[in-house]
Amino acid sequence: KGVETSRTVDIFVSRLHPSTAKSELIDCVNVIKEDLVVQSVECEQLTSSYAHLYSSFHIAITVGSTAFHKAITLFTSADAWPMGVFVRRYFKPKTVTNEAD
């Protein structure tokens, strides 16, 4: 029998009210997931250019590898989130290493 592996779906959510809390986004994920088994949800508030106007978040949703594609489709759907919210895949910034010459 094979070993079940996990994958993380990274989502960028923006154009939220400045006072939006992490717990509200975790609640949204739990509503959106439907019958999908979510192993964990981590939410990190990002620094917004205009923090007084909107807030942005990185949400890391861990699912089984077999459900990865379904999870991407589900969580990046604009229809799943409240109207006016901007959602897309989140790609972590590449780290720059300084090498001595």
Side-chain angles (χ1 to χ4, degrees):
K1 182 176 179 179
V3 176
E4 176 66 28
T5 57
S6 300
R7 300 274 312 263
T8 301
V9 178
D10 293 302
I11 304 294
F12 172 74
V13 182
S14 188
R15 298 185 186 156
L16 297 163
H17 191 277
S19 64
T20 302
K22 293 178 186 180
S23 61
E24 293 176 272
L25 291 169
I26 292 170
D27 290 344
C28 278
V29 167
N30 288 323
V31 169
I32 293 168
K33 73 177 184 171
E34 299 171 348
D35 62 344
L36 185 70
V37 177
V38 172
Q39 297 169 356
S40 70
V41 179
E42 295 178 23
C43 188
E44 170 192 8
Q45 186 164 3
L46 303 172
T47 304
S48 301
S49 299
Y50 300 97
H52 64 287
L53 295 176
Y54 68 92
S55 59
S56 301
F57 290 85
H58 165 223
I59 306 172
I61 306 161
T62 305
V63 298
S65 294
T66 56
F68 185 66
H69 181 71
K70 179 180 179 182
I72 290 172
T73 304
L74 200 61
F75 293 115
T76 58
S77 170
D79 296 332
W81 296 89
M83 184 181 278
V85 173
F86 179 76
V87 181
R88 69 175 10 184
R89 296 270 314 262
Y90 178 83
F91 296 97
K92 295 177 183 175
K94 295 184 192 281
T95 56
V96 178
T97 56
N98 293 329
E99 296 181 15
D101 292 298

